[in-house]
Amino acid sequence: MPSDCLFCRIIAGELPAAQVYSDDSVVAIRDIAPRAPTHILLLSRKHIASVREVGPEDHELIGKIFAAGAELARREGVATDGYRLVVNTGRNGGQTVDHLHVHLLGGRPMAWPPG
Ligand code: 5GP
Ligand code: ZN
């Protein structure tokens, strides 16, 4: 694990976070600066810098992250009205933390296209 990675440190318990879900592949926390009534980050337990670094060995992991997102959307009560799963990637994608994560945003209508 990269010792300077913010999300690796949260997963390791070295830094605090409001954890809402955990399994052998995924840790989910509430975003520290929520952009919607529900704003959860689904973190890969494995350090992968971004979607650009995902390999064939990670395909099951990616499926588990999305399945956890769908389950958490149900638990949060936003599944029926709908929600958004977002993976910002690289500079133009607006990624600010270089550890693979999926945003679960819900509880309000989402604009399209995103800014
Ligand atoms: P990105 O911009 O890389 O797609 O998403 C990073 C997200 O992590 C942002 O929405 C930001 O608010 C969130 N974030 C940054 N630092 C922390 C932190 O220390 N704790 C939590 N829970 N979220 C964080
Ligand atoms: Zn990391």
Side-chain angles (χ1 to χ4, degrees), residues 1-9 11 44-49 97-100:
M1 140 193 155
S3 57
D4 58 343
C5 173
L6 174 67
F7 288 167
C8 280
R9 295 189 68 196
I11 290 164
S44 160
R45 272 195 185 274
K46 176 184 175 185
H47 180 85
I48 302 172
V97 180
D98 290 336
H99 178 123
L100 183 67

mmCIF file of all heavy atoms in Angstrom, residues 1-9 11 44-49 97-100, ligand 2:
data_model
loop_
_atom_site.group_PDB
_atom_site.id
_atom_site.type_symbol
_atom_site.label_atom_id
_atom_site.label_comp_id
_atom_site.label_asym_id
_atom_site.label_seq_id
_atom_site.Cartn_x
_atom_site.Cartn_y
_atom_site.Cartn_z
ATOM 1 N N MET A 1 0.844 -1.205 0.000
ATOM 2 C CA MET A 1 0.000 0.000 0.000
ATOM 3 C C MET A 1 0.873 1.247 0.000
ATOM 4 O O MET A 1 1.783 1.369 0.818
ATOM 5 C CB MET A 1 -0.896 -0.052 1.242
ATOM 6 C CG MET A 1 -1.075 1.287 1.920
ATOM 7 S SD MET A 1 -1.809 1.239 3.551
ATOM 8 C CE MET A 1 -1.148 2.753 4.237
ATOM 9 N N PRO A 2 0.584 2.177 -0.887
ATOM 10 C CA PRO A 2 1.336 3.438 -0.885
ATOM 11 C C PRO A 2 1.043 4.215 0.399
ATOM 12 O O PRO A 2 -0.101 4.541 0.669
ATOM 13 C CB PRO A 2 0.816 4.180 -2.116
ATOM 14 C CG PRO A 2 0.071 3.161 -2.919
ATOM 15 C CD PRO A 2 -0.391 2.114 -1.950
ATOM 16 N N SER A 3 2.061 4.503 1.194
ATOM 17 C CA SER A 3 1.851 5.099 2.520
ATOM 18 C C SER A 3 1.349 6.535 2.425
ATOM 19 O O SER A 3 0.846 7.079 3.397
ATOM 20 C CB SER A 3 3.142 5.056 3.324
ATOM 21 O OG SER A 3 4.154 5.722 2.613
ATOM 22 N N ASP A 4 1.470 7.152 1.240
ATOM 23 C CA ASP A 4 1.026 8.537 1.089
ATOM 24 C C ASP A 4 -0.357 8.626 0.452
ATOM 25 O O ASP A 4 -0.821 9.722 0.150
ATOM 26 C CB ASP A 4 2.035 9.318 0.250
ATOM 27 C CG ASP A 4 2.238 8.679 -1.124
ATOM 28 O OD1 ASP A 4 1.858 7.499 -1.294
ATOM 29 O OD2 ASP A 4 2.768 9.367 -2.007
ATOM 30 N N CYS A 5 -1.027 7.481 0.265
ATOM 31 C CA CYS A 5 -2.338 7.508 -0.389
ATOM 32 C C CYS A 5 -3.425 7.716 0.663
ATOM 33 O O CYS A 5 -3.578 6.914 1.592
ATOM 34 C CB CYS A 5 -2.576 6.215 -1.154
ATOM 35 S SG CYS A 5 -4.257 6.091 -1.817
ATOM 36 N N LEU A 6 -4.202 8.781 0.483
ATOM 37 C CA LEU A 6 -5.252 9.126 1.445
ATOM 38 C C LEU A 6 -6.236 7.977 1.653
ATOM 39 O O LEU A 6 -6.556 7.610 2.794
ATOM 40 C CB LEU A 6 -5.995 10.369 0.936
ATOM 41 C CG LEU A 6 -7.227 10.805 1.732
ATOM 42 C CD1 LEU A 6 -6.818 11.300 3.109
ATOM 43 C CD2 LEU A 6 -8.007 11.867 0.978
ATOM 44 N N PHE A 7 -6.739 7.390 0.567
ATOM 45 C CA PHE A 7 -7.752 6.348 0.722
ATOM 46 C C PHE A 7 -7.150 5.054 1.251
ATOM 47 O O PHE A 7 -7.814 4.345 2.023
ATOM 48 C CB PHE A 7 -8.516 6.136 -0.587
ATOM 49 C CG PHE A 7 -9.464 7.264 -0.931
ATOM 50 C CD1 PHE A 7 -10.022 7.370 -2.200
ATOM 51 C CD2 PHE A 7 -9.816 8.214 0.013
ATOM 52 C CE1 PHE A 7 -10.901 8.402 -2.517
ATOM 53 C CE2 PHE A 7 -10.694 9.260 -0.293
ATOM 54 C CZ PHE A 7 -11.234 9.353 -1.567
ATOM 55 N N CYS A 8 -5.901 4.728 0.906
ATOM 56 C CA CYS A 8 -5.248 3.568 1.533
ATOM 57 C C CYS A 8 -5.156 3.771 3.043
ATOM 58 O O CYS A 8 -5.368 2.824 3.820
ATOM 59 C CB CYS A 8 -3.860 3.336 0.954
ATOM 60 S SG CYS A 8 -3.853 2.472 -0.636
ATOM 61 N N ARG A 9 -4.861 4.971 3.450
ATOM 62 C CA ARG A 9 -4.731 5.249 4.884
ATOM 63 C C ARG A 9 -6.090 5.164 5.589
ATOM 64 O O ARG A 9 -6.178 4.697 6.734
ATOM 65 C CB ARG A 9 -4.063 6.606 5.105
ATOM 66 C CG ARG A 9 -2.624 6.625 4.590
ATOM 67 C CD ARG A 9 -1.905 7.878 5.006
ATOM 68 N NE ARG A 9 -1.682 7.901 6.444
ATOM 69 C CZ ARG A 9 -1.356 8.998 7.131
ATOM 70 N NH1 ARG A 9 -1.231 10.158 6.505
ATOM 71 N NH2 ARG A 9 -1.157 8.935 8.420
ATOM 72 N N ILE A 11 -8.599 3.224 4.555
ATOM 73 C CA ILE A 11 -8.920 1.793 4.553
ATOM 74 C C ILE A 11 -8.151 1.079 5.670
ATOM 75 O O ILE A 11 -8.678 0.188 6.337
ATOM 76 C CB ILE A 11 -8.610 1.185 3.165
ATOM 77 C CG1 ILE A 11 -9.613 1.712 2.132
ATOM 78 C CG2 ILE A 11 -8.617 -0.344 3.217
ATOM 79 C CD1 ILE A 11 -9.187 1.488 0.689
ATOM 80 N N SER A 44 -12.015 0.882 -3.652
ATOM 81 C CA SER A 44 -11.407 -0.427 -3.844
ATOM 82 C C SER A 44 -10.431 -0.681 -2.699
ATOM 83 O O SER A 44 -9.623 0.186 -2.371
ATOM 84 C CB SER A 44 -10.655 -0.413 -5.177
ATOM 85 O OG SER A 44 -9.699 -1.435 -5.218
ATOM 86 N N ARG A 45 -10.514 -1.854 -2.052
ATOM 87 C CA ARG A 45 -9.503 -2.144 -1.014
ATOM 88 C C ARG A 45 -8.103 -2.191 -1.605
ATOM 89 O O ARG A 45 -7.138 -1.786 -0.971
ATOM 90 C CB ARG A 45 -9.800 -3.492 -0.343
ATOM 91 C CG ARG A 45 -10.727 -3.395 0.823
ATOM 92 C CD ARG A 45 -10.698 -4.665 1.653
ATOM 93 N NE ARG A 45 -11.686 -4.582 2.693
ATOM 94 C CZ ARG A 45 -11.475 -4.022 3.880
ATOM 95 N NH1 ARG A 45 -10.292 -3.543 4.196
ATOM 96 N NH2 ARG A 45 -12.447 -3.972 4.769
ATOM 97 N N LYS A 46 -8.031 -2.702 -2.814
ATOM 98 C CA LYS A 46 -6.741 -2.769 -3.518
ATOM 99 C C LYS A 46 -6.382 -1.380 -4.028
ATOM 100 O O LYS A 46 -7.239 -0.687 -4.588
ATOM 101 C CB LYS A 46 -6.864 -3.758 -4.693
ATOM 102 C CG LYS A 46 -5.646 -3.855 -5.579
ATOM 103 C CD LYS A 46 -5.921 -4.787 -6.760
ATOM 104 C CE LYS A 46 -4.744 -4.813 -7.729
ATOM 105 N NZ LYS A 46 -5.051 -5.617 -8.940
ATOM 106 N N HIS A 47 -5.128 -0.973 -3.847
ATOM 107 C CA HIS A 47 -4.730 0.315 -4.419
ATOM 108 C C HIS A 47 -4.589 0.193 -5.928
ATOM 109 O O HIS A 47 -3.702 -0.489 -6.431
ATOM 110 C CB HIS A 47 -3.407 0.822 -3.826
ATOM 111 C CG HIS A 47 -3.016 2.145 -4.431
ATOM 112 N ND1 HIS A 47 -3.481 3.350 -3.954
ATOM 113 C CD2 HIS A 47 -2.273 2.435 -5.523
ATOM 114 C CE1 HIS A 47 -3.014 4.329 -4.723
ATOM 115 N NE2 HIS A 47 -2.282 3.796 -5.676
ATOM 116 N N ILE A 48 -5.480 0.872 -6.630
ATOM 117 C CA ILE A 48 -5.407 1.028 -8.085
ATOM 118 C C ILE A 48 -5.549 2.529 -8.303
ATOM 119 O O ILE A 48 -6.460 3.153 -7.754
ATOM 120 C CB ILE A 48 -6.557 0.270 -8.797
ATOM 121 C CG1 ILE A 48 -6.536 -1.223 -8.439
ATOM 122 C CG2 ILE A 48 -6.477 0.476 -10.299
ATOM 123 C CD1 ILE A 48 -7.749 -2.005 -8.950
ATOM 124 N N ALA A 49 -4.639 3.136 -9.047
ATOM 125 C CA ALA A 49 -4.609 4.599 -9.122
ATOM 126 C C ALA A 49 -5.861 5.168 -9.783
ATOM 127 O O ALA A 49 -6.383 6.201 -9.349
ATOM 128 C CB ALA A 49 -3.348 5.062 -9.857
ATOM 129 N N VAL A 97 -8.211 12.337 -6.040
ATOM 130 C CA VAL A 97 -7.551 11.325 -5.201
ATOM 131 C C VAL A 97 -7.216 10.135 -6.097
ATOM 132 O O VAL A 97 -8.117 9.521 -6.683
ATOM 133 C CB VAL A 97 -8.432 10.883 -4.016
ATOM 134 C CG1 VAL A 97 -7.705 9.828 -3.184
ATOM 135 C CG2 VAL A 97 -8.813 12.077 -3.143
ATOM 136 N N ASP A 98 -5.925 9.827 -6.190
ATOM 137 C CA ASP A 98 -5.472 8.794 -7.134
ATOM 138 C C ASP A 98 -5.558 7.397 -6.528
ATOM 139 O O ASP A 98 -4.544 6.696 -6.373
ATOM 140 C CB ASP A 98 -4.055 9.105 -7.616
ATOM 141 C CG ASP A 98 -4.025 10.324 -8.523
ATOM 142 O OD1 ASP A 98 -5.065 10.637 -9.140
ATOM 143 O OD2 ASP A 98 -2.969 10.984 -8.604
ATOM 144 N N HIS A 99 -6.765 7.028 -6.150
ATOM 145 C CA HIS A 99 -7.073 5.679 -5.652
ATOM 146 C C HIS A 99 -8.486 5.390 -6.139
ATOM 147 O O HIS A 99 -9.415 6.156 -5.833
ATOM 148 C CB HIS A 99 -6.966 5.639 -4.123
ATOM 149 C CG HIS A 99 -7.318 4.316 -3.511
ATOM 150 N ND1 HIS A 99 -6.443 3.605 -2.699
ATOM 151 C CD2 HIS A 99 -8.452 3.566 -3.587
ATOM 152 C CE1 HIS A 99 -7.025 2.480 -2.307
ATOM 153 N NE2 HIS A 99 -8.247 2.433 -2.831
ATOM 154 N N LEU A 100 -8.647 4.311 -6.873
ATOM 155 C CA LEU A 100 -9.920 4.027 -7.534
ATOM 156 C C LEU A 100 -11.109 4.112 -6.580
ATOM 157 O O LEU A 100 -11.110 3.465 -5.532
ATOM 158 C CB LEU A 100 -9.873 2.624 -8.154
ATOM 159 C CG LEU A 100 -11.110 2.216 -8.953
ATOM 160 C CD1 LEU A 100 -11.235 3.060 -10.216
ATOM 161 C CD2 LEU A 100 -11.062 0.741 -9.296
HETATM 162 ZN ZN ZN B 2 -4.455 3.903 -2.294
#
